[in-house]
Amino acid sequence: MGTVVDAPVVVAEEVTENMLGGKKVTVVFVLGGPGSGKGTQCANIVEHFGFTHLSAGDLLRAEIKSGSENGTMIENMIKEGKIVPSEVTIKLLQDAMIKSENDKFLIDGFPRNEENRAAFENVTISFSLFQTKISPAFVLFFDCSEEEMERRLLGRNQGRVDDNIETIKKRFKTFVESSLPVIEHYSSKDKVKKIDAAKPILEVFEDVKAIFAPYVPKAE
Ligand SMILES: Nc1ncnc2c1ncn2[C@@H]1O[C@H](COP(=O)(O)OP(=O)(O)O)[C@@H](O)[C@H]1O
Ligand SMILES: Nc1ccn([C@@H]2O[C@H](COP(=O)(O)OP(=O)(O)O)[C@@H](O)[C@H]2O)c(=O)n1
Ligand SMILES: [Mg+2]
């Protein structure tokens, strides 16, 4: 038998540089159960790596406060630990991205179910200048036990209507039933970077930093 020379294998890379209203954007989805530390770590990432933090939950709470016609519906869904219809949340995220001067976004707490995920891809196509889908560069997944998350949520003290034990149980159920499948979807595409979020804040951030190292802002 002659020598076998392996042909080079070309693997098509998924597009992770997206065009939004004519500008290139990098999107990282930040997922994890309620109380896993998404917001806390996003604040650190903003400070060190120059991303803009868009929390779906914060945008929805601001929408309630603004007196929007959807306010009562959103508030009821949040109190029940349910996921607000995608069109509402996506509009808020889309507006915030278009308004921003930045080109690097942390999208925190979204997509939280399959409907969120599919709708985000579709809606983006229709307004993106180059008809490109926004697909995340990667998904950061904060992994934490329910016991620890419950302890954190009950101690959060931000006056949230959903940080009570009854709603917390409902949010955990929604997370397992609706949000974990989204993480599994991205995991099957090798896009998930899982972090042990049960550790103290600074230790979690050490692991986060290693992941964001390629995104370090250029020196001025
Ligand atoms: N690694 C951690 N260890 C202990 N407490 C934490 C940790 N990360 C966050 N917290 C606290 O837990 C609560 C929930 O954190 P938060 O960032 O709001 O989580 P999420 O956005 O995932 O719900 C906050 O009071 C926060 O200060
Ligand atoms: N994509 C999303 C994100 C949040 N939400 C709602 O907003 C609530 C609070 O979300 P959040 O991300 O601020 O909560 P935490 O995980 O940070 O505790 C969720 O429990 C949902 O009711 C939603 O409907 N859809
Ligand atoms: Mg949060």
Side-chain angles (χ1 to χ4, degrees), residues 33-40 108 148 152-153 155-156 197 199-201 204:
S36 58
K38 301 181 294 296
T40 303
D108 160 7
E148 174 64 15
R152 291 181 190 176
L153 292 173
R156 181 152 60 180
K199 296 193 285 188
I201 293 176
V204 175

Side-chain angles (χ1 to χ4, degrees), residues 30-39 55-61 74-86 89-90 93 108-113 116 153 156 158 160 162-163 167 170-171 174:
V30 182
L31 301 177
S36 58
K38 301 181 294 296
S55 157
D58 286 351
L59 289 167
L60 289 167
R61 284 183 287 273
I74 297 170
E75 188 164 28
N76 288 334
M77 302 290 277
I78 288 180
K79 274 185 195 152
E80 285 304 311
K82 290 185 180 154
I83 296 163
V84 172
S86 301
T89 318
I90 284 169
L93 288 169
D108 160 7
F110 183 100
R112 248 182 164 94
N113 61 8
N116 270 186
L153 292 173
R156 181 152 60 180
Q158 288 177 356
R160 279 176 50 166
D162 54 349
D163 281 349
T167 310
K170 291 178 181 168
R171 291 157 73 197
T174 300

